Every structure is written in C-alpha cells, then in structure tokens.
Coordinates of all heavy atoms in Angstrom, one line a residue:
M320 N 0.9 -1.1 0.0 CA 0.0 0.0 0.0 C 0.9 1.2 0.0 O 1.9 1.3 0.7 CB -0.9 0.0 1.2 CG -1.8 1.1 1.3 SD -2.7 1.3 2.8 CE -3.8 -0.1 2.6
D321 N 0.5 2.3 -0.8 CA 1.3 3.5 -0.9 C 1.1 4.3 0.4 O -0.1 4.4 0.9 CB 0.8 4.3 -2.1 CG 1.1 3.7 -3.4 OD1 2.1 3.0 -3.4 OD2 0.4 3.9 -4.3
P322 N 2.1 5.0 0.9 CA 1.9 5.9 2.0 C 1.1 7.1 1.6 O 1.2 7.5 0.4 CB 3.3 6.2 2.4 CG 4.1 6.1 1.3 CD 3.5 4.9 0.5
P323 N 0.4 7.8 2.5 CA -0.3 9.0 2.1 C 0.7 10.1 1.8 O 1.8 10.0 2.2 CB -1.1 9.3 3.3 CG -0.5 8.6 4.4 CD 0.2 7.4 3.8
P324 N 0.2 11.1 1.1 CA 1.1 12.2 0.8 C 1.5 13.0 2.1 O 0.8 12.9 3.1 CB 0.3 13.1 -0.2 CG -1.1 12.7 0.0 CD -1.1 11.4 0.5
T325 N 2.5 13.9 2.0 CA 2.8 14.8 3.1 C 2.1 16.1 2.9 O 1.6 16.4 1.8 CB 4.3 15.1 3.2 OG1 4.7 15.6 1.9 CG2 5.1 13.8 3.5
C326 N 1.9 16.8 4.1 CA 1.2 18.1 4.1 C 2.1 19.1 3.4 O 3.3 19.2 3.6 CB 1.0 18.5 5.5 SG 0.2 20.1 5.7
P327 N 1.6 20.0 2.5 CA 2.3 21.0 1.8 C 2.8 22.0 2.9 O 3.9 22.7 2.7 CB 1.4 21.7 0.9 CG 0.2 20.7 0.8 CD 0.1 19.9 2.0
N328 N 2.1 22.2 4.0 CA 2.5 23.2 5.0 C 3.4 22.6 6.2 O 4.1 23.3 6.7 CB 1.3 23.9 5.7 CG 0.5 24.7 4.8 OD1 1.0 25.4 3.9 ND2 -0.9 24.7 4.9
C329 N 3.3 21.4 6.4 CA 4.0 20.7 7.4 C 4.7 19.4 6.7 O 4.2 18.3 6.9 CB 3.1 20.2 8.5 SG 2.0 21.5 9.2
P330 N 5.7 19.6 6.0 CA 6.3 18.4 5.2 C 6.7 17.2 6.0 O 6.9 16.1 5.5 CB 7.5 19.1 4.5 CG 7.3 20.5 4.6 CD 6.5 20.8 5.7
E331 N 6.9 17.4 7.3 CA 7.3 16.3 8.2 C 6.1 15.4 8.6 O 6.2 14.3 9.1 CB 8.0 16.8 9.4 CG 7.2 17.5 10.5 CD 6.8 19.0 10.1 OE1 7.3 19.5 9.1 OE2 6.1 19.5 10.9
R332 N 4.9 15.9 8.2 CA 3.7 15.2 8.6 C 2.9 14.5 7.4 O 2.8 15.2 6.3 CB 2.6 16.1 9.3 CG 3.1 16.6 10.6 CD 2.0 17.4 11.2 NE 2.4 17.9 12.5 CZ 2.0 17.4 13.7 NH1 1.4 16.3 13.7 NH2 2.4 18.0 14.8
L333 N 2.5 13.3 7.6 CA 1.6 12.7 6.6 C 0.2 13.1 6.7 O -0.3 13.5 7.9 CB 1.7 11.1 6.7 CG 3.0 10.5 6.5 CD1 3.0 9.0 6.8 CD2 3.5 10.7 5.1
L334 N -0.5 13.2 5.6 CA -1.9 13.6 5.7 C -2.8 12.3 6.1 O -2.5 11.2 5.7 CB -2.4 14.1 4.3 CG -1.7 15.4 3.9 CD1 -2.1 15.8 2.5 CD2 -2.0 16.5 4.9
W335 N -3.8 12.6 6.8 CA -4.8 11.5 7.1 C -6.0 11.6 6.2 O -6.4 12.6 5.8 CB -5.3 11.8 8.6 CG -4.3 11.5 9.6 CD1 -3.3 12.3 10.1 CD2 -4.0 10.3 10.2 NE1 -2.5 11.8 11.0 CE2 -2.9 10.4 11.1 CE3 -4.6 9.0 10.1 CZ2 -2.4 9.4 11.9 CZ3 -4.1 8.0 10.9 CH2 -3.0 8.2 11.8
K336 N -6.5 10.4 5.9 CA -7.7 10.3 5.1 C -8.9 10.5 5.9 O -9.2 9.6 6.8 CB -7.7 9.0 4.3 CG -8.9 8.8 3.4 CD -8.8 7.5 2.8 CE -10.0 7.1 2.0 NZ -10.0 5.8 1.5
D337 N -9.7 11.6 5.8 CA -10.8 11.8 6.7 C -12.0 11.3 5.9 O -12.4 11.9 4.9 CB -10.9 13.4 6.9 CG -12.0 13.7 7.9 OD1 -13.0 13.0 8.0 OD2 -11.8 14.7 8.6
T338 N -12.6 10.3 6.5 CA -13.8 9.7 5.9 C -15.1 9.9 6.8 O -16.0 9.2 6.6 CB -13.6 8.2 5.7 OG1 -13.3 7.6 6.9 CG2 -12.4 7.9 4.7
R339 N -15.1 10.9 7.6 CA -16.3 11.1 8.5 C -17.6 11.4 7.7 O -18.6 11.1 8.2 CB -16.0 12.3 9.4 CG -15.0 12.0 10.5 CD -14.7 13.2 11.3 NE -14.0 14.2 10.5 CZ -13.6 15.4 11.0 NH1 -13.9 15.7 12.2 NH2 -12.9 16.2 10.2
E340 N -17.5 11.9 6.5 CA -18.6 12.2 5.7 C -19.0 11.1 4.7 O -19.8 11.3 3.8 CB -18.4 13.6 5.0 CG -18.3 14.7 5.9 CD -19.5 14.9 6.8 OE1 -20.6 14.9 6.4 OE2 -19.2 15.3 8.0
T341 N -18.3 10.0 4.8 CA -18.7 8.9 3.8 C -19.4 7.8 4.5 O -19.4 7.7 5.7 CB -17.3 8.4 3.1 OG1 -16.5 7.8 4.2 CG2 -16.6 9.4 2.4
G342 N -20.0 6.9 3.7 CA -20.7 5.8 4.3 C -21.7 5.3 3.3 O -21.9 5.8 2.2
P343 N -22.5 4.2 3.7 CA -23.4 3.7 2.8 C -24.5 4.7 2.4 O -25.0 5.5 3.4 CB -24.1 2.6 3.7 CG -23.0 2.2 4.6 CD -22.3 3.5 4.9
G344 N -24.8 4.8 1.2 CA -25.7 5.8 0.7 C -25.3 7.2 0.6 O -26.0 8.1 0.2
K345 N -24.0 7.5 0.9 CA -23.5 8.8 0.7 C -22.5 8.8 -0.4 O -21.8 7.9 -0.7 CB -22.8 9.2 2.0 CG -23.8 9.5 3.2 CD -22.9 10.0 4.4 CE -23.9 10.3 5.5 NZ -23.1 10.9 6.7
E346 N -22.3 10.1 -1.0 CA -21.3 10.3 -2.0 C -19.9 10.0 -1.4 O -19.7 10.4 -0.3 CB -21.5 11.6 -2.5 CG -20.5 11.9 -3.7 CD -20.6 13.3 -4.3 OE1 -21.7 14.0 -4.0 OE2 -19.7 13.8 -4.9
D347 N -19.0 9.5 -2.2 CA -17.6 9.3 -1.7 C -16.9 10.6 -1.7 O -16.4 11.0 -2.8 CB -16.9 8.3 -2.5 CG -15.5 8.0 -2.1 OD1 -15.3 8.1 -0.9 OD2 -14.7 7.7 -2.9
S348 N -16.9 11.4 -0.6 CA -16.4 12.7 -0.6 C -15.3 12.9 0.5 O -15.4 13.9 1.2 CB -17.5 13.7 -0.4 OG -18.2 13.5 0.8
W349 N -14.4 12.0 0.6 CA -13.4 12.1 1.6 C -12.3 13.2 1.2 O -12.3 13.6 0.1 CB -12.7 10.7 1.8 CG -11.9 10.1 0.7 CD1 -12.5 9.3 -0.3 CD2 -10.6 10.3 0.3 NE1 -11.5 9.0 -1.3 CE2 -10.4 9.6 -0.9 CE3 -9.5 11.0 0.8 CZ2 -9.1 9.6 -1.5 CZ3 -8.3 10.9 0.2 CH2 -8.1 10.2 -0.9
F350 N -11.5 13.5 2.2 CA -10.5 14.5 2.0 C -9.3 14.2 2.8 O -9.4 13.4 3.7 CB -11.0 15.9 2.1 CG -11.6 16.2 3.5 CD1 -10.8 16.7 4.5 CD2 -12.9 16.0 3.7 CE1 -11.3 16.9 5.7 CE2 -13.4 16.3 5.0 CZ -12.6 16.8 6.0
W351 N -8.2 14.9 2.5 CA -7.0 14.7 3.3 C -7.0 15.8 4.5 O -7.5 16.9 4.3 CB -5.7 15.0 2.5 CG -5.5 14.0 1.4 CD1 -5.4 14.3 0.1 CD2 -5.1 12.7 1.6 NE1 -5.1 13.2 -0.6 CE2 -4.8 12.1 0.3 CE3 -5.0 11.8 2.7 CZ2 -4.5 10.8 0.1 CZ3 -4.7 10.5 2.4 CH2 -4.4 10.0 1.2
F352 N -6.5 15.4 5.6 CA -6.5 16.3 6.8 C -5.1 16.3 7.4 O -4.6 15.2 7.7 CB -7.5 16.0 7.8 CG -7.7 16.9 8.9 CD1 -8.3 18.1 8.8 CD2 -7.1 16.5 10.2 CE1 -8.3 18.9 10.0 CE2 -7.1 17.3 11.3 CZ -7.8 18.5 11.2
C353 N -4.6 17.4 7.8 CA -3.3 17.5 8.5 C -3.5 17.7 10.0 O -4.3 18.7 10.3 CB -2.4 18.6 7.9 SG -0.8 18.7 8.8
T354 N -3.0 16.9 10.8 CA -3.1 17.1 12.3 C -2.2 18.2 12.8 O -2.4 18.6 14.0 CB -3.0 15.8 13.0 OG1 -1.6 15.3 12.8 CG2 -4.0 14.8 12.7
G355 N -1.3 18.7 12.0 CA -0.4 19.7 12.5 C -1.0 21.1 12.3 O -1.2 21.8 13.2
C356 N -1.3 21.4 11.0 CA -1.8 22.7 10.7 C -3.4 22.8 10.6 O -4.0 23.9 10.4 CB -1.2 23.3 9.4 SG -1.6 22.4 7.9
H357 N -4.0 21.6 10.7 CA -5.5 21.5 10.7 C -6.1 21.9 9.4 O -7.2 22.4 9.4 CB -6.1 22.2 11.8 CG -5.6 21.7 13.2 ND1 -6.1 20.6 13.8 CD2 -4.6 22.3 14.0 CE1 -5.4 20.4 14.9 NE2 -4.5 21.4 15.1
Q358 N -5.3 21.8 8.3 CA -5.9 22.2 7.0 C -6.4 20.9 6.3 O -5.9 19.8 6.5 CB -4.7 22.7 6.1 CG -4.2 24.0 6.5 CD -5.2 25.1 6.1 OE1 -6.2 24.9 5.4 NE2 -4.9 26.3 6.7
A359 N -7.4 21.0 5.5 CA -8.0 20.0 4.8 C -7.7 20.2 3.3 O -7.6 21.3 2.8 CB -9.6 19.9 4.9
Y360 N -7.4 19.1 2.6 CA -7.0 19.2 1.2 C -7.8 18.2 0.3 O -8.1 17.1 0.8 CB -5.5 18.8 1.0 CG -4.6 19.7 1.8 CD1 -4.2 19.4 3.0 CD2 -4.2 20.9 1.2 CE1 -3.3 20.2 3.8 CE2 -3.3 21.8 1.9 CZ -2.9 21.4 3.2 OH -2.0 22.3 3.9
V361 N -8.2 18.7 -0.8 CA -9.0 17.8 -1.7 C -8.0 16.9 -2.4 O -7.0 17.4 -2.9 CB -9.7 18.6 -2.8 CG1 -10.4 17.8 -3.8 CG2 -10.8 19.6 -2.1
P362 N -8.3 15.6 -2.5 CA -7.3 14.7 -3.1 C -7.4 14.9 -4.7 O -8.4 15.3 -5.2 CB -7.9 13.3 -2.8 CG -9.3 13.5 -2.4 CD -9.4 14.9 -1.9
T363 N -6.2 14.7 -5.3 CA -6.2 14.8 -6.7 C -6.9 13.6 -7.4 O -7.2 12.6 -6.7 CB -4.7 14.7 -7.2 OG1 -4.1 13.4 -6.9 CG2 -3.8 15.8 -6.6
P364 N -7.2 13.6 -8.6 CA -7.9 12.5 -9.3 C -7.1 11.2 -9.1 O -7.6 10.2 -8.9 CB -8.1 13.0 -10.8 CG -8.2 14.5 -10.7 CD -7.2 14.9 -9.6
D365 N -5.8 11.3 -9.3 CA -4.9 10.1 -9.1 C -5.0 9.6 -7.7 O -5.1 8.4 -7.4 CB -3.4 10.5 -9.4 CG -2.5 9.3 -9.3 OD1 -2.8 8.3 -9.8 OD2 -1.6 9.4 -8.5
Q366 N -5.0 10.5 -6.7 CA -5.1 10.1 -5.3 C -6.5 9.4 -5.0 O -6.5 8.5 -4.3 CB -4.8 11.2 -4.4 CG -3.4 11.7 -4.3 CD -3.2 13.0 -3.6 OE1 -4.2 13.7 -3.3 NE2 -2.0 13.3 -3.3
K367 N -7.5 10.0 -5.6 CA -8.8 9.4 -5.4 C -8.9 8.0 -5.9 O -9.4 7.1 -5.3 CB -9.9 10.2 -6.2 CG -10.4 11.4 -5.5 CD -11.3 11.1 -4.4 CE -12.7 11.7 -4.5 NZ -13.5 11.5 -3.4
L368 N -8.2 7.8 -7.1 CA -8.2 6.4 -7.6 C -7.4 5.5 -6.7 O -7.8 4.3 -6.5 CB -7.6 6.5 -9.0 CG -7.6 5.2 -9.8 CD1 -9.0 4.7 -10.1 CD2 -6.9 5.4 -11.1
R369 N -6.2 5.9 -6.3 CA -5.2 5.1 -5.5 C -5.7 4.9 -4.0 O -5.4 3.8 -3.5 CB -3.9 5.7 -5.5 CG -3.2 5.6 -6.8 CD -1.9 6.3 -6.9 NE -1.1 6.3 -5.7 CZ -0.3 7.3 -5.4 NH1 -0.1 8.3 -6.1 NH2 0.5 7.2 -4.3
F370 N -6.4 5.8 -3.4 CA -6.7 5.7 -2.0 C -8.1 5.6 -1.7 O -8.5 5.5 -0.5 CB -6.1 7.0 -1.3 CG -4.6 7.0 -1.4 CD1 -4.0 7.8 -2.3 CD2 -3.8 6.3 -0.5 CE1 -2.6 7.9 -2.3 CE2 -2.5 6.3 -0.5 CZ -1.8 7.1 -1.4
T371 N -9.1 5.6 -2.6 CA -10.4 5.5 -2.3 C -10.8 4.3 -1.4 O -11.5 4.4 -0.4 CB -11.4 5.5 -3.5 OG1 -11.3 6.9 -4.1 CG2 -12.8 5.2 -3.2
Y372 N -10.3 3.1 -1.7 CA -10.7 1.9 -1.0 C -9.6 1.5 0.0 O -9.7 0.5 0.7 CB -10.9 0.8 -1.9 CG -12.2 1.1 -2.8 CD1 -11.9 1.5 -4.1 CD2 -13.5 1.2 -2.3 CE1 -13.1 1.8 -4.9 CE2 -14.5 1.5 -3.0 CZ -14.3 1.8 -4.4 OH -15.4 2.2 -5.1
A373 N -8.6 2.4 0.2 CA -7.6 2.0 1.3 C -8.1 2.4 2.6 O -8.9 3.4 2.8 CB -6.3 2.9 1.0
A374 N -7.7 1.7 3.6 CA -8.2 1.9 5.0 C -7.5 3.1 5.6 O -6.5 3.6 5.2 CB -8.0 0.7 5.8

C-alpha cells in the first residue's frame, strides 16, 4: 500500500484520510487532513483512484 502524501505546510507530517462524511448511501467525498496545521486538502484525481478503498 502506498503511504499517504505529506502536508504542503508541514512536510514532516503525513496527511490523514478523513472519511467522516462517507458511508453507505453517501457520496464518496473524503479529503486529506493534517493534524499539524489542521488544513483539509481535496485529493487529486490520481489520489482518489489510488486511495479510495484504502483503509
């Protein structure tokens, strides 16, 4: 499994896949979240493809 990307603002931190808004019957609208600077980032189309079904 590929590691998640690093935060553009905090290069020493990996981004977390935030799936709080996803679930059965909901649109797949997850995003990346940094626990350092608390920024959320929209995944690129390539990242959506690679990480959609990753835990």
Side-chain angles (χ1 to χ4, degrees):
M320 178 185 295
D321 293 330
T325 57
C326 176
N328 294 324
C329 310
E331 70 281 356
R332 294 185 181 262
L333 294 176
L334 295 175
W335 288 88
K336 182 180 171 186
D337 189 329
T338 59
R339 290 179 286 181
E340 299 297 321
T341 60
K345 292 186 176 181
E346 183 180 342
D347 182 30
S348 59
W349 62 271
F350 57 91
W351 294 117
F352 181 77
C353 178
T354 57
C356 64
H357 302 280
Q358 291 286 347
Y360 300 95
V361 176
T363 65
D365 178 55
Q366 290 171 342
K367 278 286 239 189
L368 184 64
R369 288 173 38 211
F370 295 100
T371 289
Y372 297 106

